[in-house]
Amino acid sequence: MVTDSTASLPAAEARLYRVAVVPLRLLAGELVADDGDPATAAIAAAAARGERLTTARPSPDRFAAAYRAAADAGARAVLSVHLSSQLSGTVSSAELAAATSPIPVRVVDAQTIGLGLGLAVLAAAAAAAAGQGADEAAATTMRYAEGIGSFFAIDAPDALLAGGRLAGASASAGPWAGPPQAALVVRTIMQIRSGQIVTVDRVRTRAAAAASLVGLASEFAGRQPVDVGVQHTAAADRAADLADRLAAAIPQIRSVYLVEAGLAIRAHTGPGMLGVTVAPHTTGW
């Protein structure tokens, strides 16, 4: 099993399910590092000083190395599950590497990112552990991913706009057009829908943003048993509070995951992001 670092899988889960994580590249000024490496501390410091933090997809060589390692370890096929192709060229890199892999590789575009991707990876691992072949497990993963709802709140959309990752908006004219002073007090609520990031609400305060996330997650969950993930960037206390509120609002939650996103996600959301992922509950893990 292979994924990329935007899946935000905790190291324990990655080891338990034998998931190889290929990192995205981080760039700030003249500094370059892999997402998740110790060297990212310098990248984070540069971003704090005002350097623009950007990302780049992994090279095909990085995926090729992961596929060769799987083959060397005895795998007969690889399921490679990644963030939306509408947000990154990571899937393309994986497909290029798959074409020359010594064993069959099934690349899956999960049409999401962050914990939504992470939970899809766990679903893929469960399918493989249940004896499904690569093609069958890929189909199971895609069906599972289609049932995931991912919502997040950010303080400002500047990085998403600059990176062209916000559907239907531009840096010069979009849903935030207006007096600069007004934009400073707007919290934007977004959803990952069909692989794209779309705006669903705007509120004035972080408290209102958290309340909106709880409402959206509750509505999406309905009455079905669900697993919920809460993700954040440099907002641990607010994320823990949000997890508690979600547990109270959605009594049919079976599992809760609480993680801090890596710098590859922070590059496009900024600090202070809160995200909620709602996924169908599975007993596979």
Side-chain angles (χ1 to χ4, degrees):
M1 183 74 56
V2 175
T3 190
D4 59 78
S5 59
T6 68
S8 302
L9 275 179
E13 265 85 0
R15 287 193 298 269
L16 178 63
Y17 297 104
R18 293 182 292 180
V19 179
V21 179
V22 177
L24 271 69
R25 299 288 276 168
L26 300 166
L27 305 94
E30 297 182 355
L31 298 175
V32 181
D34 286 337
D35 190 23
D37 282 0
T40 57
I43 294 275
R49 294 193 301 269
E51 292 279 4
R52 185 185 171 200
L53 178 60
T54 60
T55 59
R57 64 183 177 179
S59 70
D61 287 346
R62 299 298 294 268
F63 284 111
Y67 301 153
R68 283 196 303 272
D72 292 344
R76 292 178 294 178
V78 172
L79 193 58
S80 200
V81 185
H82 301 289
L83 79 157
S84 171
S85 59
Q86 298 188 68
L87 303 177
S88 167
T90 298
V91 163
S92 294
S93 286
E95 289 174 338
L96 286 170
T100 59
S101 172
I103 55 177
V105 176
R106 186 67 160 81
V107 178
V108 175
D109 180 349
Q111 292 282 288
T112 189
I113 192 173
L115 269 178
L117 172 57
L119 293 180
V121 169
L122 294 185
Q132 294 185 13
D135 288 342
E136 187 181 3
T140 296
T141 303
M142 288 187 285
R143 286 194 299 271
Y144 178 85
E146 288 172 357
I148 293 175
S150 291
F151 310 91
F152 63 101
I154 60 176
D155 289 344
D158 304 49
L160 285 172
L161 286 167
R165 288 175 172 82
L166 186 57
S170 68
S172 59
W176 300 274
Q181 64 271 23
L184 294 175
V185 294
V186 170
R187 276 45 168 168
T188 307
I189 316 300
M190 299 179 178
Q191 179 181 5
I192 302 170
R193 187 183 299 162
S194 300
Q196 293 185 308
I197 297 172
V198 298
T199 305
V200 296
D201 197 7
R202 288 191 298 163
V203 296
R204 290 291 181 183
T205 66
R206 284 179 168 175
S212 181
L213 290 174
V214 171
L216 288 165
S218 298
E219 181 179 3
F220 188 89
R223 297 184 178 180
Q224 66 174 331
V226 294
D227 297 319
V228 169
V230 176
Q231 194 166 14
H232 69 93
T233 56
D237 291 344
R238 291 169 53 222
D241 179 69
L242 179 59
D244 290 341
R245 293 177 63 180
L246 288 164
I250 310 174
Q252 70 274 28
I253 288 178
R254 298 295 184 263
S255 300
V256 177
Y257 300 83
L258 178 60
V259 302
E260 182 168 13
L263 281 179
I265 289 180
R266 181 170 172 172
H268 301 289
T269 65
M273 180 275 290
L274 283 182
V276 178
T277 297
V278 181
H281 173 65
T282 176
T283 57
W285 60 79

